[in-house]
Amino acid sequence: MTEPQIIAMPASRAGTRTVAPAQRWPTAAIAELFDRPFMDLLHEAQTVHRAHFDANEVELATLLSIKTGGCPEDCGYCPQSVHYDTGVDAGKLMDLDAVRDAATAAKQAGATRFCMGAAWRAPKDRDIENVSALVKLVKSLGLESCATLGMLSESQAHALKDAGLDYYNHNLDTAPEAYGRIISTRDYQDRLDTLEHVRDAGLSVCCGGIVGMGESRLERAGLIAQLANLDPYPESVPINELVRVEGTPLADAEKIDPFEFVRTVAVARITMPKARVRLSAGRAQMDEALQALCFVAGANSIFYGDKLLITGNPDVERDRALLARLGLRPRAA
Ligand code: SAM
Ligand code: DTB
Ligand code: SF4
């Protein structure tokens, strides 16, 4: 029997900027990966994974919603949009003491990365000053810091970098072709512009998307193509399964085939070999066996903590037990 062939991979450029051919990963090549027999795809993903990471180690990242609800954007999946009646009230920016408590608890529970999310379309400069103080606090506790605050200008990205921020999360969410069905209040280019500002400021990029929003397989391939062709590709790639929240337009979206979700993780791993691929939202609706398959497919990071931003996440004891059963070690600080 011949071994599954490892396709010639474009040179990885995570961390270095070079002039690259426009399309390192044509969508057709990514669609071809998606179409492979499941066993071949997982074998290749695991092989690529092992070439770049310790396959028995997983990163634990804890999320905190530092400013909840009342967002003017109309992202069709989001419980925090003012456009939908989801029962989420708008709050103010959390104060330093509350963030200190949450970050200290995350650190004690074993997280190494702390990600602060705000339901803003785009922060004001005053918001950036306040978040900068939170970033300094999180760093002083010995945690990696990540923030997701919406669209950023060049100067705002620099200000966050100066405050010590490590990562900025800004997702492309879906393929350009599917995007207009999900969001109308900002366009794809706005997202790409923010990613450029983040990269140019010297921040590490956390960028991924959501699957299970009614997109086709080709559109999933299109999302991965967008991510993998960023130059350099993101250091962190969150793959979210849609959490269907009552009141949002996507509340009744058809659930994605679990093996298709695993395929998406595997294709992200193969096309972005050095990235941290995060098994992100949606774990509360996955059983342990499916999560284990995602780790086989090359996921090596999870959101850890009883809550995501609004919705639930597996509780910490359950995650610890899962990692122990799989012999997975949390990444050390
Ligand atoms: N407001 C900022 C923004 O949109 O950039 C930051 C926070 S926003 C909640 C961050 C990301 O969470 C979104 O881009 C989306 O990918 C993800 N997300 C939001 N609601 C979700 C849901 N119901 N299921 C899965 N992922 C979701
Ligand atoms: C990401 O890709 N997923 C996280 C984080 N980045 C900010 C958010 C998931 C949100 C899931 C629904 C909720 O709880 O609001
Ligand atoms: Fe607002 Fe972010 Fe939710 Fe979109 S995803 S509605 S920008 S909080």
Side-chain angles (χ1 to χ4, degrees):
M1 200 189 100
T2 52
E3 284 292 301
Q5 193 198 354
I6 301 205
I7 64 170
M9 254 181 303
S12 156
R13 292 184 184 81
T16 50
R17 292 203 88 174
T18 53
V19 178
Q23 284 265 292
R24 285 199 304 270
W25 279 100
T27 302
I30 295 177
E32 188 271 325
L33 288 175
F34 267 98
D35 289 346
R36 286 194 180 183
F38 191 73
M39 302 308 153
D40 291 352
L41 178 62
L42 259 64
H43 178 80
E44 181 163 337
Q46 179 66 200
T47 304
V48 170
H49 188 42
R50 282 171 182 268
H52 297 283
F53 288 100
D54 176 343
N56 298 308
E57 188 190 85
V58 68
E59 175 195 71
L60 305 180
T62 294
L63 270 174
L64 179 68
S65 180
I66 56 169
K67 194 273 163 200
T68 300
C71 182
E73 300 285 279
D74 69 353
C75 311
Y77 46 75
C78 187
Q80 305 199 65
S81 165
V82 285
H83 299 267
Y84 317 125
D85 188 6
T86 61
V88 175
D89 295 326
K92 290 209 172 84
L93 183 64
M94 249 187 198
D95 65 26
L96 271 168
D97 288 341
V99 175
R100 184 184 294 108
D101 289 349
T104 304
K107 168 108 179 158
Q108 276 167 1
T112 55
R113 191 179 297 185
F114 193 70
C115 179
M116 296 178 277
W120 286 319
R121 168 181 163 77
K124 299 184 190 73
D125 287 348
R126 177 84 193 120
D127 298 323
I128 294 290
E129 277 173 39
N130 291 329
V131 173
S132 293
L134 300 178
V135 168
K136 286 178 184 151
L137 167 72
V138 167
K139 293 296 295 176
S140 75
L141 297 171
L143 286 156
E144 281 182 333
S145 57
C146 179
T148 180
L149 316 171
M151 292 185 282
L152 286 190
S153 68
E154 276 178 61
S155 63
Q156 290 177 329
H158 276 101
L160 290 170
K161 173 74 183 169
D162 290 346
L165 186 69
D166 298 303
Y167 289 80
Y168 194 78
N169 166 249
H170 198 67
N171 289 341
L172 289 174
D173 280 347
T174 192
E177 298 74 25
Y179 186 85
R181 300 200 297 266
I182 312 291
I183 299 152
S184 77
T185 47
R186 79 171 79 150
D187 60 30
Y188 215 78
Q189 190 58 47
D190 291 325
R191 290 179 187 260
L192 293 169
D193 290 348
T194 290
L195 291 170
E196 194 175 318
H197 299 156
V198 168
R199 185 55 88 193
D200 287 348
L203 291 160
S204 293
V205 172
C206 173
C207 181
I210 308 176
V211 294
M213 299 196 294
E215 73 285 345
S216 65
R217 176 178 274 187
L218 189 60
E219 287 169 341
R220 281 188 283 282
L223 165 66
I224 301 290
Q226 287 291 325
L227 297 169
N229 287 318
L230 290 172
D231 187 26
Y233 58 78
E235 282 78 7
S236 280
V237 178
I239 305 293
N240 297 276
E241 181 183 353
L242 174 69
V243 180
R244 292 168 296 173
V245 180
E246 210 175 314
T248 64
L250 288 168
D252 298 320
E254 193 182 336
K255 193 170 160 49
I256 189 169
D257 173 359
F259 299 132
E260 188 67 16
F261 184 85
V262 177
R263 282 180 186 275
T264 309
V265 171
V267 172
R269 165 54 63 222
I270 292 166
T271 56
M272 294 171 274
K274 292 185 178 174
R276 281 263 157 208
V277 175
R278 185 170 307 114
L279 174 52
S280 302
R283 283 199 308 118
Q285 63 219 23
M286 294 177 194
D287 65 19
E288 264 96 356
L290 175 57
Q291 294 182 57
L293 269 182
C294 291
F295 296 131
V296 174
N300 60 351
S301 177
I302 56 172
F303 282 129
Y304 175 69
D306 300 351
K307 213 173 153 195
L308 293 167
L309 293 173
I310 303 293
T311 66
N313 199 39
D315 62 39
V316 159
E317 287 71 32
R318 194 177 147 193
D319 274 344
R320 284 208 181 117
L322 174 61
L323 298 190
R325 284 164 75 197
L326 298 175
L328 282 170
R329 280 175 278 101
R331 184 184 175 208

